[in-house]
């Protein structure tokens, strides 16, 4: 104080208007920052969730691949089963047809179904009956047929008939394995 | 630093309140970036701070936090002493209840602490930042004359006279003289003390001199003349003061004194008067700015 007996009152920059402006800006900035942090948190949460979903998606994709493999395997199995079923049906029909082929007067004691052939053991009253009534139809089915006879105790003839088809006509490898 | 920067952005408002006998003058100056932007003054016919005055002041002060309200000290127990040394003050003035203020390490102005508190209380509604001594104002107004001359310097206010004798910046004598209003003067005539009778006689003597003009200022100028005359007598008589013969008298006139007073000073006291009009509001504001270093 150089001239005045008293000191001036304290002057504050924070007038009521300034206080109101500061309060307004403070609230505004608080809301902005709160919103920013809220969005930041949400963004982090979404990213985390997205990461988990990504992992989950990878797991599901892996599962889908496994399932696809399984489906393919099952489809193959199904196809194979269908083929086996068809083959069995064919085989059943063949066996039925085979037994239908055997005349009343020839008795079969053993029949072996081979991959590419059929071996029959039986007894026939004579060669003619065998030749005309059994060998003839067998020849129509198999490419190669061999028959051998030997006499039985009761005067009939025991026979062994070996019948084969060519390799080209054999079932595919897959069916062979299945069998 | 930051506060200074923000402070520079705001306009400063200086309010000077001058209490007169029956009115109050308010001078407001708007100050921005080392320049006076605008100023306005108003006279209110009231002796107290009322709602109208408050409204006028607040209209400008509410625009900025940096508003300063200043007044001149009106304490009758004030004055100035020709020293700044603390141990010498009591030689000139006995006042434990006084507040002192040293100026240029040459002279001291003082006033009553109680009256300062009273002034603060009186301006409680407006608030108060500065109370200046009229001697400070006088010294600032006649700065160059005081530096170079030896003369009597007087500040004439509505109800008081601040009188000081400077000899090339050295204060020799100072007195603060309160004027009495017309009723009091009339009462004084009824008083039967010798002193008052002397005063009465002198008043009538002066009255005769100015008999032709019976204006309202008659009593006031009479009083002023007598007060100045008595004060100069004190200066010459009192051994405490280094007295020299005064030739020149510089008057800072804030009320508009009559030519009669000037003539009587010249003719009866053989003084050469130089009268300069003073706008108290402006001068108080100057002091306020100086106080703030602006």
């Amino acid at each position: 104080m150089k001239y005045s007996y008293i000191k001036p009152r304290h002057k504050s920059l924070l007038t009521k208007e300034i206080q109101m402006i500061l309060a307004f800006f403070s609230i505004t900035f608080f809301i902005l920052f709160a919103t920013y942090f809220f969005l930041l948190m949400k963004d982090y949460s979404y990213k985390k969730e997205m990461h988990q979903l990504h992992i989950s998606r990878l797991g599901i994709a892996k599962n889908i691949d496994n399932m696809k493999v399984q489906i393919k395997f099952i489809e193959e199995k199904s196809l194979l089963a269908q083929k086996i079923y068809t083959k069995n049906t064919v085989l059943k029909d063949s066996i039925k047809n085979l037994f239908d082929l055997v005349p009343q007067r020839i008795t079969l004691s053993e029949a072996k179904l081979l991959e590419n052939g059929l071996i029959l053991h039986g007894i026939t009253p004579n060669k003619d009956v065998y030749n005309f009534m059994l060998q003839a139809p067998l020849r129509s089915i198999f490419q190669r047929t061999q028959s051998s006879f030997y006499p039985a105790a009761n005067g009939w003839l025991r026979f062994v008939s070996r019948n084969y088809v060519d390799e080209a006509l054999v079932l595919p490898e897959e069916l062979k394995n299945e069998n | 630093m930051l506060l200074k920067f923000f402070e520079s952005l705001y306009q400063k408002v200086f309010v000077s309140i001058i209490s007169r006998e029956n009115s109050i003058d308010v001078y407001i100056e708007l100050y921005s970036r080392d320049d006076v932007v605008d100023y306005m003054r108003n006279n209110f016919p009231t002796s107290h701070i009322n709602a109208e005055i408050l409204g006028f002041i607040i209209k400008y002060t509410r625009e900025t936090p940096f508003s300063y309200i200043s007044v001149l000290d009106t304490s009758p127990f004030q004055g100035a002493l020709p020293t700044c040394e603390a141990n010498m003050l009591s030689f000139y003035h006995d006042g434990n209840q006084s507040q002192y203020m040293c100026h240029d390490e040459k002279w001291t102005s003082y006033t009553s602490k109680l009256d300062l508190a009273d002034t603060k209380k009186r301006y409680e509604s407006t608030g108060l930042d500065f109370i200046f001594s009229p001697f400070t104002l006088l010294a600032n107004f006649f700065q160059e004359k005081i530096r170079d001359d030896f003369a009597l310097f007087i500040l004439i206010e509505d109800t008081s006279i601040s009188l000081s004798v400077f000899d090339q910046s050295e204060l020799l004598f100072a007195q603060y003289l309160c004027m009495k209003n017309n009723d009091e003067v009339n009462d004084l005539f009824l008083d039967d003390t010798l002193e008052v009778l002397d005063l009465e006689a002198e008043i009538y003597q002066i009255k005769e001199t100015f008999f032709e003009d019976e204006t309202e200022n008659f009593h006031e100028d009479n009083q002023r003349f007598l007060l100045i005359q008595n004060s100069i007598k004190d200066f010459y008589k009192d051994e405490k003061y280094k007295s020299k013969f005064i030739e020149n008298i510089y008057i800072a006139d804030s009320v508009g004194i009559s030519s009669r007073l000037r003539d009587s000073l010249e003719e009866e006291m053989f003084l050469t008067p130089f009268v300069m009009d003073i706008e108290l509001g402006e001068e108080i504001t100057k002091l306020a700015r100086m106080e703030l270093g602006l």
Side-chain angles (χ1 to χ4, degrees):
Chain A
M1 291 192 306
K2 278 175 71 181
Y3 305 101
S4 171
Y5 285 120
I6 60 168
K7 286 181 179 176
R9 293 167 294 166
H10 175 68
K11 309 294 175 189
S12 173
L13 282 170
L14 295 173
T15 56
K16 280 182 181 175
E17 289 81 6
I18 297 286
Q19 281 175 357
M20 280 176 68
I21 290 167
L22 282 178
F24 171 76
F25 277 106
S26 302
I27 291 166
T28 308
F29 277 116
F30 173 75
I31 290 169
L32 279 174
F33 278 112
T35 311
Y36 173 72
F37 282 116
F38 174 75
L39 291 174
L40 214 63
M41 289 294 289
K42 273 286 174 193
D43 185 50
Y44 173 75
S45 168
Y46 282 138
K47 275 183 180 169
K48 198 175 173 185
E49 200 176 336
M50 199 171 75
H51 181 67
Q52 283 174 348
L53 284 172
H54 182 68
I55 291 168
S56 174
R57 194 176 69 85
L58 285 176
I60 289 167
K62 198 175 175 183
N63 282 345
I64 288 168
D65 288 343
N66 285 339
M67 284 172 80
K68 277 180 181 172
V69 171
Q70 283 179 358
I71 287 167
K72 194 178 175 185
F73 178 72
I74 289 165
E75 279 175 351
E76 283 174 359
K77 285 273 186 188
S78 169
L79 192 66
L80 184 65
Q82 201 173 356
K83 283 177 180 174
I84 291 168
Y85 176 76
T86 309
K87 187 190 165 190
N88 286 345
T89 309
V90 170
L91 194 63
K92 191 179 131 189
D93 290 345
S94 300
I95 292 168
K96 189 173 177 289
N97 290 336
L98 172 68
F99 287 116
D100 286 344
L101 282 175
V102 178
Q104 290 278 329
R105 294 177 69 184
I106 294 172
T107 304
L108 289 179
S109 58
E110 189 180 343
K112 282 183 185 173
L113 281 171
L114 304 174
E115 284 182 27
N116 58 346
L118 177 66
I119 299 171
L120 296 174
H121 295 259
I123 188 165
T124 180
N126 50 52
K127 275 189 178 179
D128 293 333
V129 171
Y130 172 80
N131 287 334
F132 289 111
M133 296 185 76
L134 186 59
Q135 193 172 20
L138 286 173
R139 278 183 187 279
S140 67
I141 297 166
F142 297 101
Q143 275 75 43
R144 287 179 290 113
T145 301
Q146 293 176 348
S147 302
S148 55
F149 299 94
Y150 53 94
N154 58 356
W156 286 25
L157 291 170
R158 288 189 181 273
F159 68 88
V160 177
S161 172
R162 290 183 175 83
N163 307 283
Y164 299 97
V165 292
D166 289 338
E167 285 300 317
L169 297 173
V170 175
L171 286 170
E173 194 61 32
E174 292 171 359
L175 286 175
K176 278 182 192 173
N177 293 334
E178 294 304 322
N179 285 329
Chain B
M1 189 70 184
L2 193 67
L3 191 72
K4 284 278 177 195
F5 170 72
F6 280 114
E7 193 179 329
S8 68
L9 298 177
Y10 280 101
Q11 202 172 47
K12 289 182 179 61
V13 175
F14 293 97
V15 180
S16 301
I17 303 172
I18 304 115
S19 289
R20 298 189 186 282
E21 192 174 6
N22 296 314
S23 67
I24 290 176
D25 280 355
V26 179
Y27 174 80
I28 296 176
E29 194 171 281
L30 309 181
Y31 188 85
S32 179
R33 296 174 193 274
D34 302 332
D35 199 17
V36 178
V37 178
D38 198 5
Y39 67 91
M40 52 288 298
R41 56 168 61 90
N42 211 343
N43 177 265
F44 300 91
T46 174
S47 56
H48 300 287
I49 301 290
N50 58 18
E52 194 184 0
I53 296 173
L54 268 178
F56 180 66
I57 293 171
I58 289 169
K59 184 181 169 186
Y60 297 98
T61 55
R62 72 179 170 198
E63 299 294 329
T64 172
F66 298 100
S67 62
Y68 300 91
I69 297 175
S70 318
V71 294
L72 268 188
D73 186 19
T74 54
S75 167
F77 305 107
Q78 65 173 314
L81 307 171
T83 182
C84 268
E85 292 174 32
N87 55 348
M88 285 294 288
L89 292 175
S90 58
F91 175 72
Y92 293 102
H93 171 69
D94 183 22
N96 294 326
Q97 291 298 311
S98 297
Q99 184 163 329
Y100 297 94
M101 177 168 281
C102 180
H103 299 270
D104 304 325
E105 297 181 352
K106 287 180 180 174
W107 59 279
T108 302
S109 64
Y110 67 88
T111 189
S112 160
K113 285 179 183 174
L114 291 171
D115 286 345
L116 277 182
D118 184 51
T119 306
K120 279 186 195 173
K121 197 173 180 182
R122 203 182 326 143
Y123 293 99
E124 207 170 17
S125 55
T126 58
L128 203 55
D129 294 288
F130 300 120
I131 300 175
F132 297 112
S133 166
F135 293 101
T136 314
L137 187 137
L138 189 65
N140 189 56
F141 186 70
F142 288 119
Q143 205 172 7
E144 289 177 7
K145 301 288 179 194
I146 284 173
R147 192 179 56 215
D148 302 331
D149 291 353
F150 164 66
L152 173 65
F153 298 91
I154 296 177
L155 171 66
I156 294 183
E157 291 179 74
D158 207 28
T159 57
S160 66
I161 294 171
S162 306
L163 182 146
S164 58
V165 180
F166 278 96
D167 183 9
Q168 293 180 338
S169 299
E170 187 187 353
L171 180 73
L172 301 182
F173 175 76
Q175 258 189 350
Y176 183 79
L177 310 163
C178 289
M179 290 174 65
K180 295 173 177 65
N181 61 30
N182 291 343
D183 295 336
E184 284 174 328
V185 170
N186 291 333
D187 289 344
L188 283 173
F189 291 143
L190 299 174
D191 203 327
D192 57 356
T193 61
L194 185 62
E195 187 182 345
V196 174
L197 282 172
D198 286 346
L199 180 67
E200 186 183 16
E202 286 177 11
I203 287 170
Y204 276 109
Q205 190 183 350
I206 300 299
K207 197 172 181 180
E208 282 173 8
T209 309
F210 298 109
F211 190 70
E212 291 170 359
D213 294 325
E214 289 184 357
T215 60
E216 284 183 4
N217 292 335
F218 179 77
H219 288 295
E220 289 173 358
D221 282 344
N222 269 351
Q223 264 199 82
R224 284 184 188 115
F225 176 75
L226 289 175
L227 288 169
I228 292 167
Q229 196 179 39
N230 286 334
S231 190
I232 291 172
K233 277 179 189 173
D234 287 345
F235 171 60
Y236 287 143
K237 285 178 185 173
D238 200 329
E239 292 178 354
K240 282 193 289 187
Y241 304 105
K242 287 190 275 182
S243 68
K244 287 173 76 176
F245 184 69
I246 301 166
E247 291 179 2
N248 296 328
I249 173 167
Y250 290 94
I251 299 172
D253 178 18
S254 71
V255 292
I257 56 169
S258 65
S259 59
R260 290 189 306 274
L261 176 61
R262 197 184 310 180
D263 294 342
S264 57
L265 286 169
E266 200 168 1
E267 289 166 9
E268 292 193 23
M269 297 184 72
F270 309 109
L271 296 168
T272 310
F274 300 96
V275 181
M276 297 172 77
D277 290 336
I278 183 171
E279 283 292 338
L280 282 179
E282 286 178 29
E283 295 306 317
I284 293 169
T285 302
K286 272 184 197 171
L287 283 179
R289 278 197 266 124
M290 283 164 66
E291 182 74 63
L292 293 172
L294 298 173

